[in-house]
Amino acid sequence: MATFLATHLRLCVGTILLCFFVIGRCHEGPHIPNDDHASAAVSTGNAESRLIDDLLQYHNPLARPTASADKAVVVEIAMLLKKIVHVDENQNSMHVKSWIHLKWRNAHLTWDPSKYENITKVSLPAALVWKPDLYIHDNVHTEWQKFPDMPLTISNEGITLWSPPADIGVLCEFDLSNYPFDIQTCYFTFGSLTHDRSKLDLELRDNVSVIDVSWYHESAEWELLVLLSLLFCLSDIY
């Protein structure tokens, strides 16, 4: 499964089309034991501290958080465009600053709020829990794109929200034959490094069909015209 997000831009001397793809699948998994004995074992100390200790005691951040191995975790993704940093028509590349909004259910990290003073949400360091192993196709850098380990939020039902910032540079195929009224296209394609469609499924967040530009900083050279996002299927490439 893949997601395609397209952004039309217009330069003072031309127009450029930005496209954002997403490919992958995710999963769900086990949860914290909710038996009365376990919840009553510790009656002292901070409830949030006890909750975090219980959540992480048996959690393996390397294992897909699914209840069964034959299920894919659905990861919803959205892109918030902050700034177009640079468009290099000579090098056929584009660099943007953005935020990547991700949402999935971690079935390994659920709890009964009544056993933890009605706490329904906690924040955890991203390095301590499972995250989708996303990468960017056509990255201009030689190494894989790495997202900062920003803290993430988890609800008592396992719903996980993570929004790392991303400085993204991608290779494009510019056609300058109609310069200065040319229309160009760049693709931002995200996928899983290790999982095929049966294990990690990327979908558009909340079925939103446009790139978020609510925090976009206007460019002196480029004007945004149209922002699109499309969902499409890809055959397995593994």
Side-chain angles (χ1 to χ4, degrees):
M1 190 68 65
T3 307
F4 172 77
L5 299 172
T7 308
H8 292 264
L9 305 171
R10 182 170 58 202
L11 176 61
C12 300
V13 293
T15 305
I16 191 164
L17 171 67
L18 292 186
C19 306
F20 171 58
F21 288 89
V22 183
I23 52 177
R25 280 198 185 248
C26 313
H27 44 278
E28 65 184 275
H31 63 283
I32 301 175
N34 284 326
D35 58 281
D36 293 336
H37 177 74
S39 63
V42 180
S43 58
T44 60
N46 181 277
E48 185 174 7
S49 179
R50 288 193 293 110
L51 170 58
I52 292 174
D53 286 344
D54 289 347
L55 284 173
L56 299 179
Q57 183 177 7
Y58 301 109
H59 180 66
N60 184 347
L62 301 179
R64 291 186 312 113
T66 55
S68 60
D70 61 344
K71 290 187 177 181
V73 173
V74 176
V75 175
E76 297 182 22
I77 185 169
M79 181 178 182
L80 186 153
L81 183 64
K82 287 190 63 179
K83 183 178 181 180
I84 300 169
V85 178
H86 183 59
V87 176
D88 191 331
E89 292 172 298
N90 293 322
Q91 297 297 321
N92 289 335
S93 65
M94 172 172 286
H95 179 204
V96 302
K97 288 185 176 294
S98 64
W99 292 82
I100 306 301
H101 296 312
L102 298 166
K103 176 182 178 182
W104 67 92
R105 181 175 183 269
N106 189 323
H108 295 178
L109 300 179
T110 65
W111 68 92
D112 181 352
S114 67
K115 300 181 184 299
Y116 299 93
E117 298 182 8
N118 295 319
I119 295 175
T120 59
K121 188 179 298 183
V122 293
S123 294
L124 295 174
L128 299 181
V129 301
W130 181 91
K131 303 181 299 298
D133 59 339
L134 299 183
Y135 75 103
I136 301 173
H137 291 270
D138 297 323
N139 189 357
V140 297
H141 307 294
T142 55
E143 70 278 3
W144 293 112
Q145 172 77 41
K146 294 181 179 179
F147 299 109
D149 274 337
M150 304 289 290
L152 46 74
T153 302
I154 303 175
S155 76
N156 63 289
E157 296 179 344
I159 302 303
T160 306
L161 302 177
W162 189 44
S163 298
D167 292 342
I168 304 173
V170 294
L171 297 174
C172 310
E173 294 184 6
F174 291 147
D175 180 2
L176 304 179
S177 59
N178 292 322
Y179 181 89
F181 304 106
D182 47 311
I183 296 178
Q184 309 295 352
T185 303
C186 285
Y187 297 95
F188 296 81
T189 306
F190 290 71
S192 169
L193 274 171
T194 59
H195 300 302
D196 61 21
R197 297 187 300 130
S198 67
K199 301 298 182 182
L200 193 150
D201 185 14
L202 287 174
E203 297 184 355
L204 289 175
R205 175 109 177 241
D206 300 324
N207 293 316
V208 175
S209 59
V210 295
I211 298 175
D212 189 347
V213 290
S214 57
W215 288 8
Y216 178 69
H217 294 271
E218 295 289 342
S219 170
E221 294 182 283
W222 300 92
E223 177 187 1
L224 287 174
L225 297 180
V226 181
L227 301 99
L228 305 173
S229 79
L230 304 173
L231 186 66
F232 66 94
C233 294
L234 297 179
S235 59
D236 291 343
I237 58 176
Y238 303 93

